[in-house]
Amino acid sequence: MAYRSGYDALQVTDRATGRITTIRTVKKPLTASYASWSRDAKRVALTVEQKVRGAWQVLGFTVVDVAARRARTVRVAGLSRKAGFWWSPDGNLVSRHGAGLRVYRPSDGKVLRTLAGAGLPTGPEDAYSPSGRRLATWCPARFKEQLCLVDPATGAIARRVAARPEAVFGWWDESHLIAVTAHGRAYRLAVIDFSGKVTRVLAGVPAATWRADLWLSFARTRAKTS
């Protein structure tokens, strides 16, 4: 970890100009990482950790106001070592909690609701559908299916998908997911529907590339209208 004047920092790059803005976040020995952008592109959520007896412990989150170049850190009690914060479409923060999820208010870390038994978020990209009406999770152990679709308002599992992807990289559209699936001795990045069927292959992925911890990110763009 490279601290600047005793602080961790977030660097934000303006894609149009290439200009880099550095925003100070947490003080050493804390770290703030695993950036998640809010859907309005105004804020970044970071997961705050500290090494305790040789292992990293999650302590809370930092919310960065990009325009104001300001960061605010909130500590949350009782988090697991595997907790990590990311935005929900309605502007709250979500983290894994037990075998499910918990939703927090970003201003003070107050628990807003707990989705117990909903399964863990797929990640590493946004697990919410574009509309926010569905949430992709890894199904709880009580189901034979691996991939579940959850109603975020109630935590109820609305549908189970007959697919066993290696990873899910977010949503293609409201009724399709982007997944890495086994294909022969290698893998492929593909679009799958809710039946688990591959409807479009985006790229082939050699086995060695996948084993090297491949990470992909997708930018959603609006179609131009005439």
Side-chain angles (χ1 to χ4, degrees):
M1 174 58 61
Y3 292 96
R4 292 177 172 84
S5 301
Y7 283 84
D8 200 356
L10 175 72
Q11 288 190 326
V12 180
T13 302
D14 186 316
R15 293 174 60 193
T17 65
R19 180 182 177 185
I20 297 175
T21 301
T22 301
I23 305 169
R24 196 166 70 174
T25 55
V26 294
K27 193 173 183 178
K28 187 178 181 179
L30 302 181
T31 67
S33 52
Y34 309 109
S36 169
W37 281 92
S38 61
R39 288 202 171 179
D40 61 9
K42 294 181 179 179
R43 295 179 293 174
V44 176
L46 302 165
T47 299
V48 175
E49 297 176 282
Q50 181 178 354
K51 221 166 196 179
V52 179
R53 293 186 292 277
W56 289 102
Q57 176 64 53
V58 179
L59 301 179
F61 58 83
T62 295
V63 174
V64 179
D65 182 323
V66 176
R69 302 182 185 181
R70 211 168 38 233
R72 184 172 184 272
T73 297
V74 176
R75 288 185 176 246
V76 179
L79 296 171
S80 74
R81 291 186 185 276
K82 295 184 179 181
F85 292 91
W86 43 286
W87 293 102
S88 65
D90 59 0
N92 293 309
L93 290 172
V94 186
S95 179
R96 61 187 293 170
H97 178 76
L101 304 169
R102 182 163 273 180
V103 182
Y104 299 86
R105 189 163 61 193
S107 60
D108 58 6
K110 179 182 177 180
V111 176
L112 298 178
R113 59 187 178 276
T114 300
L115 310 181
L120 300 178
T122 51
E125 293 298 302
D126 192 352
Y128 285 93
S129 67
S131 71
R133 291 194 294 267
R134 285 289 182 267
L135 172 63
T137 68
W138 299 118
C139 289
R142 65 182 183 273
F143 298 116
K144 66 178 182 179
E145 293 88 356
Q146 183 177 351
L147 192 58
C148 280
L149 304 179
V150 174
D151 181 343
T154 64
I157 294 174
R159 185 164 185 164
R160 304 194 298 274
V161 178
R164 301 190 69 82
E166 301 293 322
V168 175
F169 285 89
W171 292 70
W172 180 258
D173 57 24
E174 198 64 29
S175 54
H176 295 82
L177 293 154
I178 303 168
V180 175
T181 60
H183 185 63
R185 295 185 178 181
Y187 302 89
R188 61 185 180 183
L189 184 68
V191 177
I192 62 172
D193 63 18
F194 292 165
S195 71
K197 178 183 176 182
V198 172
T199 62
R200 179 173 179 173
V201 176
L202 302 176
V205 181
T209 301
W210 181 244
R211 288 195 298 267
D213 293 331
L214 176 69
W215 184 292
L216 298 165
S217 182
F218 294 86
R220 188 171 300 281
T221 59
R222 292 183 180 181
K224 293 182 179 179
T225 56
S226 56

